[in-house]
Amino acid sequence: MRCVLGVDLGTSACKTGLFDLQGNPMGIARGSYAIHRPQQGWAEQSPDDWWAATCQAVREVLDASDVKPDDILGISFSGQTPGHALVNAQAETLGRAIIWQDRRASTEAAWMAENFTPEELQAYTGLAFTPDSAMPPSRLLWLRDHDPHWDQVRWVLQPKDYLAFRLTGNATTDSNSAYSLAHAATLSYDADYFARLGISPERLPPVCDPTSRVGEVTSRAAEETRLAPGTPVISGTIDAWCGIAGAGGAAGQAVDITGTSEVVALIISKSASVPGLGAMTLAGDLGVLISPMQLGADAMVWLRQTFYPQQGEEDFATMETEAAVVSPGSDGLIFLPYLLGERAPIWDDQARGAFVGCRREHRRGHFARAVYEGGAFAIRHVLSLAEEDAGLDATELRIGGGGSKSDLWNQIKADVTRKRVACLEVIDTSVLGAAIWAAAGLGIYADVEAASAAMVNVRKWIEPDAAAVDRYDTLFSVYLDLYPALKEVSHRISRWASDAGASSGDATSGDKT
């Protein structure tokens, strides 16, 4: 049976999925890897671990299905971003890669903010963005000044581009993954921009459309993966974009992808912008107001580890049961979900998480429900900003990612956002989205929009509960006041923790979400 292979290189695992041309899954597998945190605010992974996990997951998905390697029409990728894998001229990996959670480049981000105006950055890249420690230019400046391998670097590759490099031998990237570096319209690196940065753009790969064919599976890669040599490889794009396509979103709809982090997007048919959110092209005539947040389902992992340590790694049942019996609003307990700082919409590395409103009568279940609700409040926060800017109210909220397994959380999201929620047949929307990009790149469908419409299916709908909606509306206004009220205190605590050397040493985590 003819099929396409989607590969999603996430934060905690690589997932592979074989799909027929109607989007029905024929097999899904995963391979995991660790995150290394050698210093406070640092987050690294081994690119060689990415490749090993990918090879394992591809072999397993072939074993779990009746698909023969020759039946796979093509492959494409979804990947965590931004990340920076360093490769030398001999195609050897140089050390660990910085991943999206890493916040070490704050000094470099501050330098960029002082030396580039927003208008200059938009002229250079076609994108209005705020310099931030997670932004690729800030990271490149840090690598240039601090990484011991920098002089040996031939290519700096995004995570999914590293996989494509290992499969094909070709270094490339796509127009979305090259954000803040290459111009979104010309797909080229501006010489003046990089001269001012003091970095040679020759270290960065050529930029192509996400539907472009970037090569074929080499004989060596075929031996490691059991894929057929010569299988076409399509570039693919950022996991958020793939997740949106894998959710089947159309103009006027909102999408929430809850993986380790959270991505909320409002799909539009015109370009728009709002402070703290990114306005970019999704595919074809579709635009997207997109907001990446630091914490998604990883908040549930933290909740399980901290409040429910007796539960197994994949066991969330007890905490969900306890949270479900607590009334909406957690009896006045509110959670601010900034455990790793925050990206959209506040872009504050030093923001801190908080439980506010604790009383003697609160029990473990109250704290659990408050975490679920805090995540939903964060979604409403960014979505309401996007809706206001675009001048529309989203007709529905499509939910995907590992966090969408939770019926309780899905209902809370419906109640908090006041949106009808679509639960999808394939929750691994980034894996399906990568397959959708493959189908479009191979010409099976006219474009990504057509492929998404044909390959995405809704499992069920959840309607908001009117009584809960009213309670959450009141608490949401309180939620919005918390960050401004706590900002200075959070910054003082962060400075103290940095000076005290908190959380030092090479901590390693391998949680799966």
Side-chain angles (χ1 to χ4, degrees), residues 111-131 137 180-183 190 192-194 196-197:
W111 178 87
M112 285 198 66
E114 293 172 0
N115 287 274
F116 291 89
T117 67
E119 293 76 18
E120 286 176 325
L121 292 173
Q122 183 158 20
Y124 286 139
T125 69
L127 174 68
F129 69 93
T130 302
S180 75
L181 294 174
H183 196 283
D190 188 281
D192 182 58
Y193 181 34
F194 278 84
R196 290 179 64 183
L197 289 172

Side-chain angles (χ1 to χ4, degrees), residues 183-419:
H183 196 283
T186 66
L187 307 187
S188 61
Y189 302 105
D190 188 281
D192 182 58
Y193 181 34
F194 278 84
R196 290 179 64 183
L197 289 172
I199 294 171
S200 170
E202 296 299 317
R203 298 177 191 264
L204 302 177
V207 185
C208 64
D209 186 88
T211 58
S212 296
R213 181 167 171 167
V214 297
E216 301 174 345
V217 175
T218 65
S219 297
R220 178 176 178 179
E223 291 178 2
E224 295 184 79
T225 61
R226 298 217 321 262
L227 293 168
T231 302
V233 177
I234 306 300
S235 175
T237 191
I238 299 172
D239 53 3
W241 273 247
C242 287
I244 295 165
Q253 295 176 349
V255 175
D256 167 42
I257 308 301
T258 309
T260 303
S261 65
E262 190 111 22
V263 173
V264 179
L266 179 65
I267 303 173
I268 56 177
S269 56
K270 65 178 183 66
S271 179
S273 64
V274 60
L277 302 182
M280 302 177 75
T281 297
L282 176 60
D285 294 329
L286 290 180
V288 60
L289 286 170
I290 193 163
S291 53
M293 296 183 288
Q294 283 294 87
L295 216 59
D298 198 36
M300 299 307 161
V301 174
W302 172 81
L303 177 65
R304 189 204 70 227
Q305 292 172 335
T306 306
F307 287 81
Y308 298 84
Q310 75 282 3
Q311 291 188 207
E313 187 173 282
E314 297 289 346
D315 182 8
F316 297 87
T318 302
M319 72 184 201
E320 184 149 329
T321 298
E322 292 187 6
V325 299
V326 175
S327 62
S330 302
D331 292 332
L333 182 64
I334 302 178
F335 176 63
L336 199 62
Y338 301 154
L339 300 181
L340 293 172
E342 185 56 290
R343 291 186 287 174
I346 63 171
W347 299 98
D348 185 353
D349 294 350
Q350 298 183 71
R352 289 261 164 168
F355 286 102
V356 178
C358 303
R359 291 181 61 85
R360 181 67 179 81
E361 57 267 26
H362 286 135
R363 296 293 182 264
R364 187 171 69 170
H366 290 87
F367 287 88
R369 188 178 184 97
V371 172
Y372 284 93
E373 292 172 340
F377 285 139
I379 293 168
R380 180 171 172 178
H381 187 187
V382 294
L383 184 55
S384 62
L385 291 173
E387 289 177 320
E388 180 180 357
D389 185 73
L392 61 85
D393 290 324
T395 56
E396 63 189 51
L397 179 63
R398 290 181 165 238
I399 293 183
S404 67
K405 295 176 184 177
S406 170
D407 288 338
L408 173 65
W409 208 4
N410 293 340
Q411 183 65 61
I412 290 173
K413 289 177 180 180
D415 298 341
V416 168
T417 63
R418 309 171 65 100
K419 307 290 184 191

Side-chain angles (χ1 to χ4, degrees), residues 423-440:
C423 302
L424 305 170
E425 286 284 358
V426 177
I427 66 170
D428 294 314
T429 51
S430 293
V431 184
L432 176 57
I436 286 170
W437 243 275

